[in-house]
Amino acid sequence: MAENKENEANVFEDEMEFAVPSNAMATVRRLWKAMGRQRLRLVIVAVSVIFYTVLSVAAPVYSAGIVDLLWREIRSSIEEGTAFRVTWEHGGREIMILLGIYTATGILYTFQSFVMASFAERLSLELRTQISRKLDRLPLSFFDSHKPGEVLSRATNDLDKMSEVLQTGLLKLFTAVGMVVGSLIMMFRFHIGLTVVFLLFTLLSMFSTKLFAAKTLRYATLRQQAVSRVTGQVEESYSGRTVIRSFNREEKSAKEMRDAVRELADTSRKADFMMNVVNPFIRLVNRLGQAVIAVFAGKLLLDGVMTVGTFQAFFQYVYQASEPLTEAAYMINSLQSSIASVERIFELLDEKEILPDPENPAMTAGAGTAAQETQKAAGKGTEGRVEFQNVRFGYSPDKILMKDISFTAEPGQKIAIVGSTGAGKTTLINLLMRFYEVNSGRITLDGIPTAQMSYEGLRSNFGMVLQDTWLFEGTIAENIAYGRPDASREEIIAAAKAARADFFIRTLPKGYDTVLGGDADNISAGQRQLLTIARVMLCDPAVLILDEATSSVDTRTEMEIGRAMGELMKGRTSFVIAHRLSTIVDADLILVMQNGDIIEKGNHRELLRTKGAYAELYNSQFA
């Protein structure tokens, strides 16, 4: 338990390294390249922001003339003792033009918001698609060293965070830059002194923002890590709920979940506080600046240096410059926190992939395909001769598991692999299927090195029945036909009968059209095993791999499946990982493994005569 906790801590330390942006500018540049076809939408948004900024900056200065015009008309009416009226010639036309300017800015803002949302969601979809394809190309070693919750967090939480910030933060940042620059230019035109006062308070608010930014980023990073932990804990607790209950670990599991959620709540509270305290604090600084400016501007107004229209226009520019600065400071913090998410996404996309297929892969028969049937009819089907030649392998270069594995499985032979837990039996099969690449040596199928074949071409010759069954959400017929989607109903039923699964399937409410849940909990473990056996039988592969395939069925069903397997294995090379040695006494070749190496090989009688490790293992069953 302590070791597991230490491993988890190491994983989270690694996640922390991923979460803190090591090079923010490099990440931004790569994100720009990743936008690809979506850049046009971003350009459209930028053009829209330019027009929006020009109209927004033009509106106050135009309104200054209108206010001065109306002020003159009001004073003239008071002096002449006439009623003040706004006519088309005296102010009405100008007011309508101003209304048109504000309407245009509203339309432009709505348009750019819509395009920006489309840009962010399309970019998110593109990256999500890249992640999905990437996961298909990652080696098993990646999944061995990364928790499912961590991978899920990158594909969901981090992408959602990026999309949210792009839709809101980036648009507001664009708008803020345009509004601030335009407003400052106009403010300098109106009065340099008042603008300098405004800039002093702006520098104060920017300095305050910088102080908040570091802590904001730190707490945002901690929150993302806490989210990953909660996601991983939820996934593990759900998938392992049966084991948790079996060992009375409900309270312990619930406590771990509460601790993870409590940590998430604590980091979220701190992150939200830091992110939300920036806005009101900077707003307070800005309001103080506006109060000081109002005092000085009021004096200028009373002295006749500034007109009423200029006075109100200047304050519109103060508002237009200060509010975007406030929003920009807030959104810059959000953008900073989202860079961590983007970097984590790119970390996943940069993971080392499996080796690509060779340019001209050696052709092998595809199991269950029309091509295979044609080859078989012509006598050119895959024979199934498997050879390991001086194979050396380790999960890491400094920890070699297999030092020199050599053996030959002739076509049609039954090869049994035995040994204690962790001896390397499953690893041997994983190398044969090219789930892992060998460090040196080679593995051949019918004399062709498997490294020269495409993954699809190689694996189409194998049929696997594992101890851990895997069924997806769908009908029983769809699950059986998983390896041959084009199989007819008659072929599916024939395969089910061969696997002794037809009887129990017909007892279900909808027979072969019964829908299985995500974990197929509506049927027993033994029945799930029968379905996986039927799936392999339907594919009719050249080489069979059986990993204790009958471990979840009763004795009578095991005997029936054994007979069916005997028929299925005729003429096919079979690799059987066995824990009960009584099931492999008829094997043509038995490989005894220990610590990753083959220490004995031969048939049952030969190995018993040597009185070595196999004999000891076999006789221990009767002790």
Side-chain angles (χ1 to χ4, degrees), residues 394-599:
Y395 289 102
S396 60
D398 57 330
K399 295 181 180 179
I400 298 300
L401 176 65
M402 297 178 175
K403 299 179 179 63
D404 186 11
I405 297 291
S406 297
F407 70 89
T408 301
E410 298 294 343
Q413 281 192 337
K414 178 179 179 180
I415 312 299
I417 308 171
V418 301
S420 58
T421 302
K425 302 185 295 296
T426 302
T427 301
L428 193 72
I429 297 301
N430 287 337
L431 293 176
L432 177 59
M433 296 287 289
R434 277 194 76 191
F435 291 148
Y436 294 93
E437 299 292 339
V438 299
N439 293 67
S440 62
R442 69 175 189 169
I443 303 170
T444 64
L445 176 62
D446 290 352
I448 303 173
T450 56
Q452 296 179 11
M453 303 179 186
S454 67
Y455 291 101
E456 182 179 1
L458 169 66
R459 292 167 187 167
S460 65
N461 292 284
F462 293 89
M464 296 184 72
V465 180
L466 305 179
Q467 188 172 2
D468 296 326
T469 59
W470 180 82
L471 299 171
F472 62 88
E473 189 170 350
T475 66
I476 286 180
E478 290 171 341
N479 272 279
I480 294 176
Y482 184 75
R484 281 191 58 196
D486 59 336
S488 66
R489 179 57 67 97
E490 290 74 20
E491 290 174 316
I492 293 172
I493 294 174
K497 287 181 177 178
R500 305 302 194 265
D502 179 69
F503 175 76
F504 95 79
I505 293 174
R506 294 187 183 279
T507 62
L508 298 174
K510 295 185 179 179
Y512 284 86
D513 295 318
T514 301
V515 176
L516 301 177
D519 293 329
D521 288 337
N522 47 342
I523 59 175
S524 70
Q527 291 170 336
R528 291 198 292 272
Q529 191 69 277
L530 291 175
L531 293 183
T532 61
I533 294 171
R535 178 190 293 167
V536 173
M537 287 184 168
L538 180 62
C539 288
D540 194 20
V543 182
L544 292 176
I545 297 174
L546 310 175
D547 185 356
E548 199 64 27
T550 59
S551 61
S552 299
V553 298
D554 58 79
T555 304
R556 183 174 179 179
T557 305
E558 180 182 6
M559 294 174 62
E560 292 180 352
I561 292 176
R563 285 192 289 268
M565 285 295 184
E567 291 297 322
L568 183 62
M569 286 189 289
K570 283 183 179 178
R572 291 178 176 81
T573 308
S574 304
F575 289 86
V576 181
I577 297 177
H579 299 287
R580 284 176 287 185
L581 303 188
S582 59
T583 62
I584 49 95
V585 293
D586 60 337
D588 299 291
L589 178 65
I590 298 174
L591 306 176
V592 184
M593 299 194 68
Q594 187 177 72
N595 299 325
D597 289 321
I598 298 175
I599 58 173

Side-chain angles (χ1 to χ4, degrees), residues 52-53 72 85 118 134 143 167 192 227 300 306 315 318 423 463 553 561:
Y52 172 80
T53 303
R72 287 195 302 271
R85 292 196 307 271
S118 173
K134 181 72 177 185
F143 299 99
Q167 288 186 51
I192 295 176
V227 168
L300 294 174
M306 183 177 287
F315 267 91
V318 167
V553 298
I561 292 176

Side-chain angles (χ1 to χ4, degrees), residues 216-454:
T216 301
L217 180 59
R218 177 172 175 269
Y219 285 124
T221 297
L222 291 174
R223 176 166 61 181
Q224 286 301 102
Q225 302 315 311
V227 168
S228 293
R229 279 191 281 273
V230 170
T231 304
Q233 189 69 36
V234 169
E235 192 276 337
E236 288 182 357
S237 297
Y238 179 77
S239 60
R241 60 192 182 279
T242 304
V243 177
I244 291 172
R245 290 176 181 174
S246 300
F247 287 90
N248 296 318
R249 297 273 296 183
E250 293 96 333
E251 245 183 78
K252 179 68 174 176
S253 178
K255 182 181 181 301
E256 290 174 352
M257 177 60 71
R258 283 195 299 270
D259 291 343
V261 172
R262 192 177 296 113
E263 182 183 4
L264 175 59
D266 184 53
T267 55
S268 295
R269 183 176 65 254
K270 292 176 181 177
D272 290 338
F273 174 78
M274 293 304 301
M275 292 182 69
N276 290 292
V277 78
V278 176
N279 197 312
F281 181 80
I282 295 176
R283 200 177 295 275
L284 174 63
V285 173
N286 291 338
R287 291 293 181 266
L288 291 174
Q290 291 171 17
V292 173
I293 291 171
V295 172
F296 285 106
K299 187 177 185 305
L300 294 174
L301 180 62
L302 294 175
D303 292 343
V305 177
M306 183 177 287
T307 65
V308 175
T310 303
F311 182 88
Q312 66 84 29
F314 190 89
F315 267 91
Q316 282 194 63
Y317 286 124
V318 167
Y319 179 80
Q320 284 187 351
S322 60
E323 284 302 308
L325 279 173
T326 303
E327 291 295 329
Y330 176 77
M331 293 318 302
I332 284 173
N333 287 334
S334 296
L335 285 169
Q336 282 183 317
S337 67
S338 71
I339 289 175
S341 298
V342 176
E343 198 166 62
R344 279 162 58 88
I345 294 169
F346 288 147
E347 289 281 354
L348 176 59
L349 293 176
D350 288 340
E351 287 288 343
K352 186 177 180 181
E353 300 180 1
I354 57 176
L355 296 176
D357 286 334
E359 292 185 6
N360 298 304
M363 296 302 294
T364 57
T369 63
Q372 184 192 34
E373 298 302 324
T374 303
Q375 287 185 329
K376 281 184 177 180
K380 300 178 181 178
T382 303
E383 294 180 2
R385 187 177 190 274
V386 176
E387 186 174 3
F388 278 62
Q389 300 175 359
N390 307 112
V391 170
R392 181 180 176 88
F393 170 75
Y395 289 102
S396 60
D398 57 330
K399 295 181 180 179
I400 298 300
L401 176 65
M402 297 178 175
K403 299 179 179 63
D404 186 11
I405 297 291
S406 297
F407 70 89
T408 301
E410 298 294 343
Q413 281 192 337
K414 178 179 179 180
I415 312 299
I417 308 171
V418 301
S420 58
T421 302
K425 302 185 295 296
T426 302
T427 301
L428 193 72
I429 297 301
N430 287 337
L431 293 176
L432 177 59
M433 296 287 289
R434 277 194 76 191
F435 291 148
Y436 294 93
E437 299 292 339
V438 299
N439 293 67
S440 62
R442 69 175 189 169
I443 303 170
T444 64
L445 176 62
D446 290 352
I448 303 173
T450 56
Q452 296 179 11
M453 303 179 186
S454 67

Side-chain angles (χ1 to χ4, degrees), residues 69-184:
L69 172 64
L70 295 178
W71 181 246
R72 287 195 302 271
E73 291 295 328
I74 291 171
R75 292 180 62 181
S76 176
S77 297
I78 293 173
E79 290 173 0
E80 295 175 3
T82 58
F84 168 73
R85 292 196 307 271
V86 176
T87 63
W88 181 256
E89 291 78 12
H90 296 84
R93 181 178 56 234
E94 289 78 4
I95 291 174
M96 292 304 296
I97 292 174
L98 183 62
L99 178 61
I101 292 174
Y102 282 128
T103 302
T105 57
I107 293 172
L108 285 171
Y109 187 80
T110 302
F111 171 75
Q112 65 197 29
S113 298
F114 175 79
V115 176
M116 196 66 185
S118 173
F119 159 77
E121 290 301 328
R122 286 173 182 267
L123 178 60
S124 178
L125 174 62
E126 199 162 313
L127 289 175
R128 203 180 300 274
T129 302
Q130 289 182 27
I131 289 175
S132 176
R133 291 172 180 167
K134 181 72 177 185
L135 293 177
D136 290 337
R137 300 193 299 267
L138 290 175
L140 285 182
S141 56
F142 171 83
F143 299 99
D144 291 341
S145 59
H146 291 77
K147 286 188 170 186
E150 179 194 344
V151 179
L152 283 173
S153 179
R154 297 191 188 195
T156 54
N157 296 329
D158 289 331
L159 272 175
D160 290 342
K161 177 92 174 167
M162 180 203 71
S163 178
E164 177 187 351
V165 172
L166 284 178
Q167 288 186 51
T168 56
L170 195 58
L171 178 59
K172 287 186 177 181
L173 184 62
F174 284 170
T175 306
V177 170
M179 293 297 291
V180 169
V181 172
S183 297
L184 284 175

Side-chain angles (χ1 to χ4, degrees), residues 3 13 23 39 48 157 187 244 299 330 562:
E3 184 181 352
E13 285 176 9
N23 193 332
R39 291 180 198 159
S48 175
N157 296 329
M187 289 165 69
I244 291 172
K299 187 177 185 305
Y330 176 77

